[in-house]
Amino acid sequence: MDSVIEVKQVSKYFGKKVALNNVNLSLCNSESLTLFGPNGAGKSTLLKIMSTLLHPSAGDVTICGISIHDDKPSIRKYIGIISHDSFLYGNLTAEENLFFYGKLYGVKNLKNRVDELLEKFNLTIHRDTLVRTFSRGMSQRLAIARAIIHDPAIIFLDEPYTGLDPQASDSLTNILFGFHQDKKTMIITTHDLEKGWTTATKIAILACGEIRLLEDKSNIKKENISEIYLNCIKTK
Amino acid sequence: MVNKYFYRTYLFLLGITFLMIEASLYYIFILAPVEETMGIIQKIFYFHVASAWLSFFAFFVVFVSSIIFLWKKEKIWDIIARSSAEIGLIFCTIVLITGPIWARPIWNAWWSWDARLTTTLILWMIYMAYIFIRPFTENEIKGAKAAAVFGIIGFLDVPIVYMSIRWWRTIHPQAVLNSKSGGLDPVMLKTLFISIIGFTFLYLLVIILNVSIYLVKDEIENRS
Amino acid sequence: MKNYFEIVWAIINKDLISELRTKETISSIIIFTVLVFVIFNFTFEPGASYINEIAPGILWVAYIFASVLGLNRTFLPERENNCISGLMLTPIDRGAIYLAKMLGNIIFIFIVVGLSLPIFTIFYNINIFPFLPKLLLVFFLSIAGIAGLGTALSAMAVNTKTREIMLPILLFPLMVPLILAAVKTTGSILQGKSFSEISGWLKLLTAFDIIFITVPYLTFEYLIEE
């Protein structure tokens, strides 16, 4: 199988601090990787590098066969990102936010796409409401709609469960299953073992900037995951 | 980076600079004639012009290394740009101090909005701002890039500043200091020439030191 | 090409909608500009004959201070919810962001000028209206220069700890030629002089605009990328 995401020997230094140390990772189409790791392990840095926001100090990332050293704009079209920041403009309405990002991604039939997404995420009645009046759950749903406005093949989710109430986080899990059915390739970072486990097909553990574990979920028993996790994040 | 090769270059430059500065001092104070109208104070002219030349040269180095830094993304060019700006700023300060001292008898004031002096003041402010960028930027890499862009923009601005200030002065005509034109004594010219060369070597010596200080500092930070 | 300008317009439009919805910045800046007019008025005798000569200077000092306040806000909306990252994740050219922000600033400063200029003519008793077409060109060239340079520098200043004061420190020394040209051309036009008499200054303004829009446009990605 061809790999959609290929991370080869990526390292990142911030001055003297090593954020990522020789990270290798490879994901095939419609796989869903959950990347566990404590705070400061380098999860966000890795996602930022894969999504072209940061440039690695060493190594290469190829997304759908394109290297980040060659053509960042093309890679950006394949990727949708859901972060703990919503990337939404508070003084714009839900609809205006989606139209704005849709135009920047060059989405065809934008009007239909926006209607479809608002419908899908139960935001149609709020389409003309200013985003700054939205609840956390609503802006999370709109942020997801924003991230997939251009129907990306790959979706990155950086700590998506942070700050959500149980209801909102259940609905997020359902959305993720939906992505899975649509054959999207996903990477989710979290330190919540329970929630990260549900939607994964592959598990990775990142600690101190190193990949300590990379396995298919079928090879790991759910009961053991917390023990494995604790072993992996112990500093060597 | 800081190795044996560096020390040899350093010692070589130290020797040449010492000789050239001694030679220029000898020329300035012994050989060059005392100017008739201005008297002994005119001797400051040799330091003044040499410093002015150096500050322009230093800022030109900032401009060129900033472009190379953005292009190649190698840290050494950022360090060269930063070192050169610091030295340029010091020489620019010397220009701003020696100018008024030299011209005070003519202007009858410590400051006149003479085109060249005013341009130098603006130049000083531009490069002061340049030096401000790095320590105040939260992210070190962003600070270096911002400084590089500013170094390019700032240098391109200098000729426009000079032109605009000259036009501004001609609209309000005023007796402008013009004593050094009209046939400089050949010995004076030679003296000026030697002091400029001496100062240029001084610049090379100081920039090598400054760059190596930043390199060592970098190495220490990376080790710990 | 068409797509490129659609993107630029989308960003300008987004910023304008957002600003006009709250009117926070624009209303406070107009009040500030009028205050500068009033305060300067106290620095000389009422009805003094030299007012006509110093008025262009006062006008431009007010507009440059006002512009700095506006320019400082250029990238602030993008900090909310980390929108700047959202923007950087889209496949658009970084130069398009610069163009959009710069054009947005030109529009913004023009709105401030348009609303405060009538007040200036009343307070300083200078009838500018016969000279308006000529002044418009000078205003456009000057404001384009302020916005061209100011947009790039505000992208630098937004990453600093002291961004409010950093922008004028970076901007003012570089803007000396522009300030001189703006004041001189405005003064000459108000004295009824023709363009041919101030052609040197107009050329200088044009050169300033070309250089300080092109260079930031080309280097903007270095300022904004991490």
Side-chain angles (χ1 to χ4, degrees), chain A residues 14 48 51-55 72-74 76-77 79 81 83 85-93 96 100-101 103-105 130-132 146, chain C residues 6-15 17-19 21-22 24 77-78 80-92 94 225-226:
Chain A
F14 293 110
K48 275 187 177 173
S51 58
T52 73
L53 274 185
L54 268 183
H55 207 74
K72 284 183 179 168
S74 296
R76 290 181 183 127
K77 288 180 194 159
I79 300 175
I81 296 213
S83 141
D85 295 316
S86 67
F87 303 158
L88 297 169
Y89 295 93
N91 284 331
L92 298 189
T93 64
E96 284 165 347
F100 174 64
Y101 279 105
K103 277 181 201 153
L104 298 196
Y105 279 107
L130 291 189
V131 168
R132 69 177 135 96
R146 183 213 70 84
Chain C
E6 270 174 18
I7 286 165
V8 171
W9 173 244
I11 301 173
I12 298 175
N13 192 35
K14 180 263 298 177
D15 284 340
I17 290 177
S18 190
E19 170 56 33
R21 207 158 262 162
T22 58
E24 279 164 4
E78 311 295 341
E80 178 196 19
N81 294 332
N82 199 7
C83 283
I84 188 70
S85 292
L87 206 55
M88 299 303 289
L89 283 165
T90 63
I92 59 170
R94 278 45 181 140
E225 301 253 0
E226 268 185 64

Side-chain angles (χ1 to χ4, degrees), chain B residues 64-196:
Chain B
V64 174
S65 7
S66 295
I67 294 176
I68 303 180
F69 172 67
L70 291 183
W71 176 33
K72 301 255 188 193
K73 300 187 173 68
E74 292 163 355
K75 200 168 182 186
I76 180 73
W77 295 106
D78 177 50
I79 292 178
I80 293 176
R82 163 184 211 173
S83 309
S84 189
E86 288 169 3
I87 301 164
L89 197 67
I90 290 172
F91 281 105
C92 202
T93 313
I94 295 176
V95 177
L96 285 178
I97 293 169
T98 51
I101 294 177
W102 172 31
R104 153 122 182 115
I106 300 142
W107 293 339
N108 252 327
W110 285 112
W111 188 264
S112 118
W113 294 96
D114 156 79
R116 261 171 272 196
L117 192 65
T118 310
T119 308
T120 314
L121 178 68
I122 304 299
L123 194 68
W124 189 89
M125 287 170 157
I126 292 174
Y127 285 92
M128 199 61 192
Y130 172 90
I131 287 181
F132 262 51
I133 294 175
R134 258 176 274 250
F136 281 90
T137 306
E138 287 153 4
N139 174 324
E140 197 190 324
I141 302 160
K142 275 198 166 178
K145 286 186 192 165
V149 172
F150 193 83
I152 296 168
I153 291 178
F155 188 78
L156 293 175
D157 200 39
V158 175
I160 308 179
V161 170
Y162 181 64
M163 212 152 70
S164 67
I165 291 174
R166 250 185 44 196
W167 287 352
W168 168 59
R169 298 304 298 166
T170 46
I171 285 171
H172 292 274
Q174 193 179 319
V176 176
L177 169 83
N178 215 0
S179 56
K180 54 179 194 260
S181 65
L184 204 59
D185 181 288
V187 185
M188 285 181 167
L189 202 65
K190 202 173 169 192
T191 311
L192 178 64
F193 196 63
I194 291 175
S195 69
I196 285 177

Side-chain angles (χ1 to χ4, degrees), chain A residues 21 82 134 204 219 221:
Chain A
N21 185 14
I82 297 151
F134 272 26
N219 298 341
K221 286 202 177 100

Side-chain angles (χ1 to χ4, degrees), chain A residues 63-144:
Chain A
I63 305 280
C64 302
I66 307 166
S67 160
I68 51 161
H69 296 288
D70 297 337
D71 188 0
K72 284 183 179 168
S74 296
I75 290 178
R76 290 181 183 127
K77 288 180 194 159
Y78 290 114
I79 300 175
I81 296 213
I82 297 151
S83 141
H84 32 234
D85 295 316
S86 67
F87 303 158
L88 297 169
Y89 295 93
N91 284 331
L92 298 189
T93 64
E95 192 182 12
E96 284 165 347
N97 265 296
L98 292 183
F99 264 106
F100 174 64
Y101 279 105
K103 277 181 201 153
L104 298 196
Y105 279 107
V107 175
K108 303 240 159 46
N109 291 327
L110 187 53
K111 180 87 183 68
N112 293 339
R113 179 70 180 155
V114 169
D115 288 343
E116 178 196 330
L117 286 172
L118 288 172
E119 184 65 43
K120 185 174 175 185
F121 293 104
N122 285 325
L123 290 164
T124 310
I125 49 162
H126 302 294
R127 66 188 302 155
D128 293 324
T129 315
L130 291 189
V131 168
R132 69 177 135 96
T133 63
F134 272 26
S135 71
R136 180 80 179 89
M138 276 156 76
S139 44
Q140 171 84 331
R141 292 200 316 266
L142 186 62
I144 296 171

Side-chain angles (χ1 to χ4, degrees), chain B residues 35-70:
Chain B
E35 217 262 356
E36 282 165 26
T37 46
M38 284 182 278
I40 193 84
I41 196 130
Q42 185 265 344
K43 303 269 185 207
I44 211 167
F45 157 79
Y46 304 109
F47 298 98
H48 177 78
V49 174
S51 304
W53 145 252
L54 260 200
S55 57
F56 281 114
F57 181 69
F59 296 142
F60 178 69
V61 171
V62 175
F63 172 67
V64 174
S65 7
S66 295
I67 294 176
I68 303 180
F69 172 67
L70 291 183

